[in-house]
Every structure is written in C-alpha cells, then in structure tokens.
Amino acid sequence: MQETQILSFTKSLPSSPSSSTTKPHFPTHPNHDFPSLSHPKSLRFPTLSTKTNTPINPTNTNTTSTSDFQEKLLYLDSIGIDFLTLIDDHPPVLSFPLAEIKSTVDFVASFGITAVEFRRIVGMCPEILASRVSEIVPIFTFLIREARVNGSDLRRVINRRPRLLACSVKNRLRPTLYFLQSIGIAEVNKHTNLLSSSVEEKLIPRIEYFEKIGFSRRDSVSMFRRFPQLFCYSVKENFEPKFDYFVVEMGRDLKELKEFPQYFSFSLEKRIKPRHQCCVEKGVCFPLPILLKTSNAKFWDRLDICCNASMPFERSPLWCTNCDIDLV
C-alpha cells in the first residue's frame, strides 16, 4: 500500500527543473491533523532597517520578500513550528519556496505522521523542510525495496531515526546497508537506525576498538553481528569506562564479553557497579546475564538464596561442582 503511494507520488513529480515548484498530486484523503493558527494576534514581522548602507539589488532571486517571509511564518506557525528557530538551525529554509515546503509536509504526513511527531522530526532534522518531495521519495523507496521495511513500519522507522530523511541513498544509505549485510546482519530492517551512520567514521572504528582491546577480528565482528546496537554506543563515553571497570574492578575474562556483548548496554553507575559491589560484599559471583539482565526483585532473590542457603554435603545427590545458577 505504501509502495503504491510512493510510486504515485513519483509519477506526479515534475520532469523538468523549470516546473520544480509545481505541487505533485497527493491523495485526496486528509493527510494530517495539524492544528490551525494558535497565536495569530501576536505575530510580529521583522522590518528592514532604513539605516543600512548596503544597497539592495531588487533583481536578486536569493532575497526573500517580506510577504513571502510572512506567509512562510504563518504557515509554519499553523503547524506548530517556530520559523525563526528553524532558520537559525537551518538557514537554507529561509529561501526555500513555500510551495515546496507545503508539498514536503503533505508527503511526510501522508504516511500517518502526526503533528506532534512531525514537529519532533523537524526539531531533530530541520533539513527536511528544505528538501523537495523528489528528493525524499527515493529514500522511502530505498527503505521499502532494498532495506525491506514493511510499508506499515515506515512511520515507526522515521520517528525512530528522522535523520534518514536527510541522507543520500547513493552516498550513505546504500553503502551502509551493504556493509551491515557484509558482516552478517541479514535483517537490517530491524536496525534501520544504523543506516544513517557513516561506515568509515562510525561503524568500522567501533569494530577496530574491540580488536584493540584484545578481541580477534572474527570475534569482534561476531559480537556486532549478534548485538548490532553496539554500533550506537560511544567509544569514549561507553566502551572505555565500562571495559576498564570490567577488567580492573570486576576482574572478568574477555570470553564473558564475547558471549554477552549486551554488557555495554547497561548503565555503569546505576546497574553494573551497584550489583557487582553487592556481589563482592556477599562473596557471590554471577554470570553476566544474571548479574545484569534480571529484574531487581529477581536479582535480590537470587542473591539472598545464594547467601542464606547452606551447601549440601559432598555425599548428597544435590552436591555438584558445576552448578547452573539459572536453576537456583
């Protein structure tokens, strides 16, 4: 359904640059629930200073007229977007045609994006309002046809990572997709937030860090393949402090990280340190998954059992030298 909608948008786009401002044909059903003007009486428009010594060229096509400025401000205010803040974050919007902005808003909203969601998207990716529909259609087409995203999931995908709408399919999205597939991540549609990442600047350096701290290339790639969220974490703010604590304070073996790379997804101050210190005080050592994944209630129950339960005699059938803590 969504792919058919995208194709209809594509066919309706102008074929020549001279007609680029022509609004493409959109579905006849309401596209969005954006509110009407909220503060029309308080709008004040800036005026040009009469004291400027710089002559103004009336034929300069890059100069936005006061009326155009006002119309653009009114329209964006009607959908809850502060135009002055927007142009401060992304100045090209100032000279972008209002007709194109409206077409882009309608197109994105046609995928079920609500007014609140759209404002959040613009806040995170203001470039979207200086992008033509003809530039955005290939991104949606790529997500559906190449990244295998279901049409019904497009809204969730865009809300999770608005930056996708400002990426080049050729220079960013497709190369990243190929890289993720090359290391064995088959279901990239479950990790679309990674597609906007640079392979050279973000993905590869993180794999190289794991090699630097002692993992083989094969093991490093295996960890990222099993837990792709590792690509989202900062080397300086996440990997380094957590790895140092793991080695110095916890005294654990790298093999445990290899088997449980999710270790890096837990808070060092709120989860890793408090639980490890409690175990040290009680003289207990849990495997990483039990130490970190279990809820607070289950963790304290397990700790209490291990501390208060007496060990069976060696002759007892309950005695064993390799007890599985998961059975406790």
Side-chain angles (χ1 to χ4, degrees):
M1 177 66 179
Q2 295 287 8
E3 183 172 0
T4 302
Q5 181 177 327
I6 291 175
L7 290 176
S8 67
F9 274 105
T10 306
K11 293 178 180 179
S12 65
L13 293 176
S15 57
S16 62
S18 61
S19 59
S20 60
T21 58
T22 302
K23 183 177 180 180
H25 175 71
F26 295 106
T28 55
H29 59 275
N31 288 332
H32 51 70
D33 58 353
F34 295 172
S36 58
L37 288 175
S38 55
H39 306 290
K41 296 182 180 180
S42 63
L43 292 177
R44 293 185 179 180
F45 306 111
T47 58
L48 295 176
S49 172
T50 58
K51 297 181 180 181
T52 179
N53 295 322
T54 304
I56 299 177
N57 181 3
T59 62
N60 186 356
T61 57
N62 292 325
T63 302
T64 304
S65 67
T66 302
S67 60
D68 288 341
F69 184 94
Q70 292 177 353
E71 289 181 12
K72 198 175 296 182
L73 191 151
L74 285 168
Y75 172 72
L76 292 174
D77 181 80
S78 73
I79 59 176
I81 295 176
D82 185 342
F83 182 40
L84 299 180
T85 300
L86 178 64
I87 60 177
D88 185 54
D89 293 337
H90 193 62
V93 175
L94 182 62
S95 59
F96 201 69
L98 178 58
E100 296 283 4
I101 292 178
K102 290 182 176 180
S103 295
T104 296
V105 171
D106 287 342
F107 178 71
V108 175
S110 69
F111 289 89
I113 302 294
T114 66
V116 174
E117 292 170 340
F118 189 77
R119 286 194 289 270
R120 175 180 171 275
I121 289 172
V122 172
M124 298 178 68
C125 182
E127 296 93 326
I128 185 65
L129 286 182
S131 301
R132 291 178 169 80
V133 173
S134 59
E135 298 169 333
I136 303 175
V137 167
I139 297 172
F140 281 94
T141 303
F142 166 84
L143 290 173
I144 291 176
R145 292 185 173 179
E146 299 185 48
R148 303 298 181 185
V149 174
N150 290 329
S152 58
D153 291 333
L154 283 173
R155 175 184 173 185
R156 174 187 59 80
V157 167
I158 298 304
N159 273 315
R160 185 182 182 190
R161 187 61 174 170
R163 180 58 52 185
L164 288 168
L165 297 179
C167 292
S168 164
V169 172
K170 179 181 178 181
N171 299 324
R172 176 58 58 84
L173 300 181
R174 189 172 290 124
T176 303
L177 172 67
Y178 290 165
F179 174 80
L180 295 175
Q181 291 174 335
S182 72
I183 64 174
I185 301 178
E187 296 180 312
V188 179
N189 59 340
K190 295 182 179 180
H191 308 284
T192 51
N193 60 303
L194 297 176
L195 291 173
S196 61
S197 302
S198 168
V199 173
E200 294 79 11
E201 297 176 6
K202 183 173 182 178
L203 304 188
I204 291 179
R206 280 156 176 73
I207 294 178
E208 291 177 340
Y209 173 79
F210 275 71
E211 294 182 74
K212 177 182 176 181
I213 62 178
F215 293 100
S216 66
R217 174 72 177 184
R218 180 177 180 180
D219 287 343
S220 298
V221 171
S222 175
M223 293 169 70
F224 280 87
R225 180 170 59 247
R226 291 169 54 202
F227 190 59
Q229 290 90 327
L230 285 175
F231 284 122
C232 301
Y233 304 140
S234 166
V235 172
K236 292 290 184 182
E237 299 178 6
N238 187 305
F239 291 161
E240 290 184 352
K242 290 180 182 178
F243 180 73
D244 288 344
Y245 189 82
F246 179 85
V247 174
V248 178
E249 299 296 332
M250 300 177 72
R252 301 256 186 164
D253 191 274
L254 290 182
K255 182 180 179 181
E256 291 192 77
L257 284 181
K258 174 185 173 182
E259 296 174 351
F260 189 67
Q262 293 89 338
Y263 164 82
F264 292 100
S265 67
F266 295 95
S267 169
L268 180 60
E269 299 298 329
K270 297 181 180 180
R271 180 65 68 98
I272 299 175
K273 284 185 178 181
R275 292 196 175 187
H276 169 69
Q277 291 169 359
C278 286
C279 288
V280 171
E281 293 173 1
K282 302 293 185 180
V284 175
C285 183
F286 287 145
L288 286 180
I290 294 177
L291 177 68
L292 301 174
K293 287 183 66 177
T294 54
S295 65
N296 285 329
K298 289 185 177 181
F299 172 76
W300 291 111
D301 285 345
R302 289 178 183 273
L303 191 61
D304 184 64
I305 291 173
C306 290
C307 292
N308 298 327
S310 60
M311 292 294 291
F313 291 108
E314 186 172 346
R315 296 185 301 274
S316 169
L318 298 178
W319 184 87
C320 65
T321 57
N322 186 24
C323 180
D324 186 353
I325 196 66
D326 283 323
L327 300 178
V328 175

